[in-house]
Amino acid sequence: MMQQTSLLAYEELNKGGLSVRQTSVLRAIKRCGVVSDKSLANVLNWPINCVTPRRGELVKAGVVVEVGVALENGRKVLVWGLSR
């Protein structure tokens, strides 16, 4: 479930014009909950170098935040989620 503040931030960004790719990344994070960049790339079927800049822009805008570290294929990776 998305928090009200996240919805407000999303709506504000959308007024400013989120790109199609930013919107796709945001929707994928919303659908997955907590997710790594690699998992986002797999979900979206995009190369990782297309995912990380868009996710970074959403972090900079305050809509997406780092929520911790997870193990993925035996490696520690950062995981991301919607801001609260």
Side-chain angles (χ1 to χ4, degrees), residues 49 56 64 69 73 77-78 81:
N49 64 335
V64 172
V69 177
N73 296 324
V77 296
L78 294 176

Side-chain angles (χ1 to χ4, degrees), residues 7-19 22-23:
L7 287 171
L8 293 172
Y10 173 77
E11 288 171 4
E12 189 61 34
L13 277 175
N14 228 10
K15 288 178 188 173
L18 281 180
S19 72
Q22 288 171 331
T23 301

Side-chain angles (χ1 to χ4, degrees), residues 4 18 24 35 37 39 43-44 54 66 76:
Q4 185 62 31
L18 281 180
S24 296
V35 64
D37 289 334
S39 295
V43 166
L44 294 167
R54 304 303 75 80
E66 178 185 326
K76 291 182 181 179

Side-chain angles (χ1 to χ4, degrees), residues 8-9 14 16 25 29 31-32 41 55 58 61 65-66 70:
L8 293 172
N14 228 10
V25 170
I29 294 170
R31 191 170 53 243
C32 295
R55 189 260 312 137
L58 294 169
V65 294
E66 178 185 326

Side-chain angles (χ1 to χ4, degrees), residues 33-67:
V34 174
V35 64
S36 69
D37 289 334
K38 185 175 182 177
S39 295
L40 275 174
N42 289 336
V43 166
L44 294 167
N45 198 29
W46 294 357
I48 190 83
N49 64 335
C50 291
V51 172
T52 54
R54 304 303 75 80
R55 189 260 312 137
E57 292 161 359
L58 294 169
V59 169
K60 188 174 180 179
V63 178
V64 172
V65 294
E66 178 185 326
V67 294

